[in-house]
Amino acid sequence: IRLRSEYESLRRGAQHVRALSEDAVALERIAGSGERVVMLVNRGPEPLTIADEQFSILHGEATLGNGELTIAPRALAVVTGGGARP
């Protein structure tokens, strides 16, 4: 609930849903101000890696390093920012 109150895009942004792989999906919310929040769901048994270190992790089991964002297996991460779309 704290994230929803702090980020306009989670309250009233446009939503886009994309499959990243057979086991992963990205739910992206973008506000009119350009604010972008992405919920990444990895249902697979392996980590999900996205090449982009411009994200900031807001919540979840994820790490940043070596130009990549990695989400743990069977985990969820909420991130903001990012240059490339996941």
Side-chain angles (χ1 to χ4, degrees), residues 7-70:
Y7 292 91
E8 176 189 359
S9 60
L10 293 177
R11 292 188 307 275
R12 56 179 153 227
Q15 180 171 306
H16 305 281
V17 179
R18 280 187 315 285
L20 301 176
S21 71
E22 185 176 305
D23 293 320
V25 65
L27 294 92
E28 179 180 39
R29 301 285 306 239
I30 302 171
S33 64
E35 176 185 84
R36 178 176 170 224
V37 176
V38 182
M39 182 170 53
L40 299 159
V41 180
N42 181 11
R43 300 175 300 194
E46 301 296 324
L48 170 67
T49 301
I50 298 169
D52 188 346
E53 199 171 296
Q54 296 178 2
F55 286 107
S56 295
I57 300 169
L58 302 175
H59 179 76
E61 296 181 48
T63 58
L64 289 170
N66 299 322
E68 298 177 328
L69 171 71
T70 302

